[in-house]
Amino acid sequence: MCPLWAMLALGWLPLSLAMDLEPQLASITFATNNPTLTTITLEKPFCMFNVSIPKNVSYQVNLYVMVNSGSIWNAAVKDNRSFPINSTFQETAGGQTAPYKAASFILPPCGDLPNLDKVGDMSKIAEIMSTYLVRVGDNTYCLLDPNFEGTCNPPLVRATEYRFKYVLVNTSSGFVEDQTLWSQPIQTNQISPYLEIDTWPGRRSGAMIVITSILSSLVFFLLLGFVAAVIFSFVSMGSSDLETQHESQISQEVVPKAQGTLETSYSSVNRRQSLDQAEVYTSKLQD
């Protein structure tokens, strides 16, 4: 059985999208941090276009973005021949002068709603988000790559209001078949001043406090081990120096003693020979 939160989060999709024919901000269930400083996550247009889709014809959806301004309601997303415009982020100064195409994807079938059996599987979350959500401002490298090909979806400007529009394009003819209204203004976040950041521990979750405590303890033990290793290396160097000095003193004392013993033996031998010679000389005089 699917989780209750999944049914509550996804069960309203067909009804809400059929009533609100404009891009909608993604549910907080799937995008908890939305909008961010440079991104805005939207729901893809399920059952949003009022056209019949033949089986042998494919459609794609273009997502257009423009900075909220007074002329937004008159901003065109197709030319006089009903072909969709392909204005880029650079050509429109980031959506300030005209809408730019930020994304393009295959039209999701109205009957292909989220599979509630897969929502409870954490390994399927990334796939579900890619299938049912689109993130504006997700590509941080396309503006820096001169060889980039395709639709560039660069980061948005923080603390700025944007509007969005979905356009249905027939891939066979290239004509615009349908389009939604422009969305309500959605503003990206702005950086909070340092003094306004709440650092009170009561605002932190229990899991965050436990993880922080464990990491702090590990850092303490690592530093303690490093200090102990340094002290042990100094102690080992001092012990080796003392042993070397002790061995050198012993070797210096042994050599003089050995020489003294030899000299004493040599002197006693000489005196003994002198006494023997004196006795022989005395005996000769007496004779």
Side-chain angles (χ1 to χ4, degrees):
M1 180 177 291
C2 62
L4 178 60
W5 64 267
M7 297 181 63
L8 295 176
L10 299 176
W12 53 269
L13 273 175
L15 179 60
S16 64
L17 292 179
M19 294 176 59
D20 300 324
L21 301 179
E22 62 184 35
Q24 299 291 314
L25 194 65
S27 172
I28 192 174
T29 304
F30 296 101
T32 55
N33 186 22
N34 182 42
T36 66
L37 294 175
T38 58
T39 64
I40 294 176
T41 303
L42 305 172
E43 296 174 354
K44 286 187 176 180
F46 285 90
C47 307
M48 186 174 290
F49 298 105
N50 188 21
V51 294
S52 58
I53 308 297
K55 293 183 178 179
N56 58 346
V57 178
S58 61
Y59 288 86
Q60 74 176 21
V61 178
N62 293 345
L63 173 61
Y64 291 91
V65 182
M66 187 174 181
V67 176
N68 185 34
S69 63
S71 60
I72 190 67
W73 303 107
N74 298 323
V77 293
K78 62 180 180 179
D79 58 19
N80 296 330
R81 299 177 299 170
S82 294
F83 286 106
I85 63 173
N86 292 311
S87 301
T88 64
F89 182 90
Q90 298 93 322
E91 294 172 348
T92 61
Q96 296 183 25
T97 60
Y100 70 91
K101 187 169 71 172
S104 181
F105 50 87
I106 300 298
L107 174 67
C110 183
D112 189 15
L113 297 176
N115 188 346
L116 299 181
D117 294 334
K118 296 182 179 180
V119 175
D121 188 356
M122 297 302 297
S123 62
K124 300 291 185 180
I125 293 298
E127 178 183 351
I128 291 174
M129 293 182 66
S130 175
T131 304
Y132 305 110
L133 304 178
V134 56
R135 192 180 189 192
V136 185
D138 195 33
N139 194 330
T140 58
Y141 301 103
C142 61
L143 292 179
L144 303 177
D145 186 2
N147 299 321
F148 179 82
E149 296 181 357
T151 304
C152 185
N153 184 20
L156 304 176
V157 180
R158 64 174 180 264
T160 303
E161 287 187 344
Y162 290 90
R163 289 181 182 265
F164 307 93
K165 177 188 282 285
Y166 286 129
V167 175
L168 183 65
V169 180
N170 187 321
T171 56
S172 299
S173 63
F175 294 146
V176 173
E177 296 285 349
D178 198 3
Q179 58 182 299
T180 67
L181 301 175
W182 283 101
S183 70
Q184 297 299 315
I186 302 175
Q187 181 174 333
T188 53
N189 287 343
Q190 58 183 346
I191 299 177
S192 300
Y194 173 75
L195 296 178
E196 294 183 4
I197 298 177
D198 187 5
T199 58
W200 175 246
R203 301 288 294 177
R204 305 295 183 263
S205 63
M208 185 182 297
I209 295 175
V210 171
I211 293 174
T212 304
S213 301
I214 293 174
L215 293 177
S216 300
S217 301
L218 290 176
V219 172
F220 171 75
F221 284 117
L222 287 175
L223 292 176
L224 186 63
F226 175 75
V227 173
V230 172
I231 294 175
F232 179 76
S233 63
F234 280 112
V235 172
S236 300
M237 292 175 60
S239 300
S240 61
D241 292 340
L242 292 175
E243 291 177 358
T244 304
Q245 294 178 0
H246 181 66
E247 291 177 357
S248 62
Q249 290 177 359
I250 293 175
S251 61
Q252 290 176 1
E253 291 177 357
V254 170
V255 173
K257 287 183 180 180
Q259 292 178 354
T261 303
L262 293 175
E263 291 177 358
T264 304
S265 301
Y266 180 74
S267 301
S268 61
V269 170
N270 290 339
R271 282 199 300 272
R272 182 63 180 173
Q273 291 177 355
S274 300
L275 291 175
D276 293 340
Q277 291 176 359
E279 290 179 356
V280 172
Y281 181 74
T282 305
S283 61
K284 287 183 180 181
L285 288 179
Q286 290 178 357
D287 294 339

